[in-house]
């Protein structure tokens, strides 16, 4: 489709199709995929960009607005009193207690907010100091529940969204005293199931209810198992399981974590469980038997969630693919990250004729991987440099002889191009025997929750 006549190192002449946009068998009833077809504004608009969702940002602004409005109203209704005599007597039990609730941005704002509510500056300053001592330099908005007896502070609870915070009350002698409030967080597992639409993995996942911050992690979990351009198609079923920490009100605290990823196509099914091995720098994905999803080479060496509407190329006969076309074309927006498919030494990085910005990597087993038409090659990717699997080497572009933004990816074995789908690369290592019990426990907990009615 993309790069007829790529002057690739092996120098094999490719066959163009009739309209010159493809290199597939001209008898193929399915039209060649044109990467321009996905480059519509609405397709780009759905590309994953911001790691923070609007729904998470919005409340913060609202909180500050409420806090400011509350402080102003309290000030208007109840001007602050002058500091009284040094000793503040505790309010008599019969005295009316005024309950107020407001939000403040930080512990440092507590004293001023209490003063604005009409609390004496001595009480306000004491409570502010006590609260700051308990809360430390924790950040994030606090919810204040204040009880006031005339101008005296009767009690104060300041909590973060996780339920953690401080309670300030009068002790037996009437002095303000603080005790800490531990966070009340529980874990919540949620599963979302959907089908791939015809546009992209990203739009399919978001439509099914996968939070946008999880889509990249979800798609990338499968980059060793699936060629996300050719091996998935509309109607394929996926399922995502994610864990959230929730407070006593059931509100999520902090970002969700993807713990389960499932993808089923007519030809293969994968279920992956996230597990963090002790001593490992980060969590990894394992199948149900405890074998790592990692392979010596990635099937999808681009940010998988951004691949657009290439679904359907699977219809091309593999024989034709191998004969007519030397690699895989991953259609994706300009700028989409491209990763080293495996541990490698860079053997070429630069502009090269029809290949455009081009990187060739040499792998320890004698294989090579080639990446064409890049918009840019990352700094430091220079011949002779050794890089680890997953290192970003460049970004998707349309340089050289290319009709639209895409990555043209080739695997060569002993100098000969092969269809990436036709090879099986070495599998990942298994979880050590001593860690299997912990893995099985976590896996079974996920499976048990999946089996529950939703
Ligand atoms: Zn190509």
């Amino acid at each position: 489709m993309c790069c007829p006549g790529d002057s690739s190192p092996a120098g094999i002449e490719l066959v163009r199709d009739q309209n010159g946009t493809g290199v597939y068998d001209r008898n193929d009833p399915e039209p060649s995929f044109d990467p321009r077809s996905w480059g519509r504004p609405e397709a780009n608009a759905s590309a994953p960009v911001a790691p923070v969702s609007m729904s998470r940002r919005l409340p913060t602004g609202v909180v500050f607005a409420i806090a400011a409005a509350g402080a102003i109203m309290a000030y208007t209704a109840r001007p602050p009193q002058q500091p009284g005599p040094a000793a503040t007597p505790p309010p008599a039990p019969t005295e009316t207690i005024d309950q107020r609730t407001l939000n403040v941005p930080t512990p440092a704002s507590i004293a001023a907010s209490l003063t604005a509510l009409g609390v004496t500056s001595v009480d306000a300053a004491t409570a502010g100091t006590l609260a700051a001592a308990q809360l430390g330099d924790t950040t994030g908005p606090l919810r204040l529940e204040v009880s006031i007896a005339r101008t005296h502070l009767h009690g104060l609870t300041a909590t973060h969204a996780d339920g953690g915070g401080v309670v300030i009350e009068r002790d037996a002698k009437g002095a303000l005293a603080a005790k800490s409030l531990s966070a009340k967080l529980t874990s919540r597992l949620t599963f979302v199931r959907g089908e791939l639409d015809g546009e992209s993995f990203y739009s399919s996942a978001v439509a099914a209810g996968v939070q946008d911050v999880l889509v990249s992690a979800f798609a990338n979990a499968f980059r060793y198992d699936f060629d996300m351009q050719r091996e998935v198609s509309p109607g394929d079923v996926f399922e995502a399981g994610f864990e959230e920490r929730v407070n006593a009100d059931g509100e999520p605290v902090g970002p969700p974590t993807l713990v389960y990823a499932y993808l089923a196509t007519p030809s293969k099914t994968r279920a992956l469980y996230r597990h963090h091995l002790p001593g490992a720098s980060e969590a990894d994905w394992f199948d149900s038997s405890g074998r790592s999803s990692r392979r010596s080479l990635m099937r999808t060496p681009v940010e998988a969630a951004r691949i657009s509407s290439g679904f359907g190329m699977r219809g091309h006969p593999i024989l034709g693919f191998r004969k007519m076309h030397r690699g895989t074309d991953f259609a994706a927006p300009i700028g989409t990250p491209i990763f080293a498919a495996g541990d490698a030494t860079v053997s070429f990085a630069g502009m090269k004729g029809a290949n455009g910005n081009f990187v060739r990597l040499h792998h320890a087993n004698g294989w090579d991987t080639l990446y064409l038409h890049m918009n840019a090659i990352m700094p430091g990717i220079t011949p002779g440099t050794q890089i680890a699997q997953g290192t970003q080497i460049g970004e998707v572009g349309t340089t050289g002889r290319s009709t639209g933004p895409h990555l043209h990816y080739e695997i060569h074995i002993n100098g000969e191009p092969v269809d990436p789908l036709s090879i099986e690369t070495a599998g990942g290592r298994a979880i050590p025997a001593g860690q299997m019990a912990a893995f099985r426990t976590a896996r079974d907990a996920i499976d048990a929750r999946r089996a529950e009615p939703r």
Side-chain angles (χ1 to χ4, degrees):
M1 85 179 183
C2 64
C3 29
D6 280 341
S7 55
S8 48
I12 294 171
E13 189 65 29
L14 299 174
V15 178
R16 296 188 190 197
D17 67 8
Q18 276 173 315
N19 58 20
T21 60
V23 288
Y24 290 101
D25 186 344
R26 70 186 61 197
N27 297 319
D28 185 344
E30 205 174 334
S32 291
F33 171 68
D34 182 348
R36 287 169 296 189
S37 66
W38 62 262
R40 304 177 306 257
E42 61 269 30
N44 287 335
S46 69
V49 277
V52 181
S53 71
M54 279 305 289
S55 63
R56 211 167 280 284
R57 274 194 306 234
L58 199 55
T60 311
V62 173
V63 162
F64 292 135
I66 292 169
I72 289 164
M73 288 176 64
Y75 190 90
T76 311
R78 196 181 274 266
Q81 306 277 317
Q82 289 302 310
T88 304
T94 52
E95 209 163 6
T96 309
I97 305 287
D98 205 5
Q99 303 278 358
R100 309 298 279 269
T101 300
L102 69 158
N103 295 295
V104 295
T106 65
S109 322
I110 291 176
S113 301
L114 292 176
T115 306
L117 288 178
V119 171
T120 65
S121 51
V122 170
D123 278 6
T126 305
T129 304
L130 288 169
Q134 285 288 339
L135 296 166
D137 50 6
T138 51
T139 55
L142 287 159
R143 175 186 169 89
L144 302 187
E145 286 165 40
V146 188
S147 35
I148 304 167
R150 292 173 62 88
T151 60
H152 304 303
L153 182 64
H154 185 64
L156 166 69
T157 304
T159 47
H160 288 293
D162 62 8
V166 61
V167 180
I168 296 172
E169 289 170 320
R170 298 278 173 187
D171 64 16
K173 293 175 185 166
L176 291 169
K179 61 184 176 193
S180 71
L181 207 56
S182 58
K184 294 187 194 92
L185 291 183
T186 51
S187 166
R188 181 168 69 195
L189 270 178
T190 307
F191 294 89
V192 173
R193 199 174 171 90
E195 282 187 9
L196 285 183
D197 62 23
E199 191 175 324
S200 70
F201 203 93
Y202 181 82
S203 64
S204 312
V206 169
V210 178
Q211 296 181 45
D212 56 0
V213 296
L214 296 175
V215 178
S216 283
F218 184 41
N220 288 337
F222 294 115
R223 62 189 175 182
Y224 297 96
D225 284 311
F226 289 93
D227 173 336
M228 298 296 278
Q229 189 79 63
R230 289 189 292 158
E231 287 188 294
V232 294
S233 53
D236 289 351
V237 174
F238 61 88
E239 184 173 344
F242 55 95
E243 185 174 34
E244 291 170 299
R245 310 267 286 159
V246 295
N247 65 17
D249 295 327
E251 296 162 340
V253 176
T257 304
L258 189 72
V259 296
Y260 176 78
Y262 169 93
L263 183 57
T265 70
S267 58
K268 66 179 168 185
T269 295
R270 288 286 183 275
L272 299 175
Y273 300 79
R274 184 180 191 270
H275 190 66
H276 198 154
L277 286 172
S281 60
E282 55 185 17
D284 216 336
W285 291 100
F286 298 90
D287 68 16
S288 62
S289 66
R291 186 159 286 279
S292 169
S293 72
R294 287 182 187 274
R295 303 283 183 277
S296 57
L297 287 184
M298 291 179 192
R299 279 214 193 280
T300 303
V302 292
E303 177 75 39
R306 300 203 210 175
I307 293 169
S308 303
S309 84
F311 306 153
M313 293 186 68
R314 55 182 289 119
H316 291 282
I318 299 303
L319 262 181
F321 182 92
R322 178 163 184 180
K323 186 176 171 191
M324 303 298 193
H325 193 262
R326 305 161 52 85
T328 305
D329 293 318
F330 293 99
I334 285 178
T336 298
I338 299 170
F339 307 108
D343 294 343
T345 304
V346 179
S347 52
F348 184 91
M351 191 60 103
K352 187 177 180 186
N355 291 0
N357 278 320
F358 165 57
V359 169
R360 183 183 181 112
L361 301 181
H362 185 68
H363 304 279
N365 58 3
W367 297 8
D368 295 88
T369 51
L370 290 70
Y371 310 80
L372 280 65
H373 311 310
M374 291 185 186
N375 188 48
I377 296 170
M378 302 310 285
I381 303 301
T382 50
T385 307
Q386 297 204 344
I387 55 175
Q389 182 176 54
T391 303
Q392 186 179 351
I393 57 172
E395 53 185 47
V396 169
T398 182
T399 56
R401 194 175 304 168
S402 166
T403 56
H406 74 289
L407 167 67
H408 174 104
Y409 173 59
E410 295 183 19
I411 298 178
H412 291 199
I413 298 179
N414 299 324
E416 287 293 321
V418 298
D419 179 3
L421 285 189
S422 71
I423 58 165
E424 276 302 323
T425 68
R429 62 195 182 91
I431 288 177
Q435 306 294 337
M436 272 307 287
F439 170 74
R440 286 198 195 100
T441 302
R443 176 201 66 190
D444 292 348
I446 288 172
D447 285 342
R449 287 301 312 273
R450 286 185 60 232
E452 287 174 12
R454 296 168 213 171

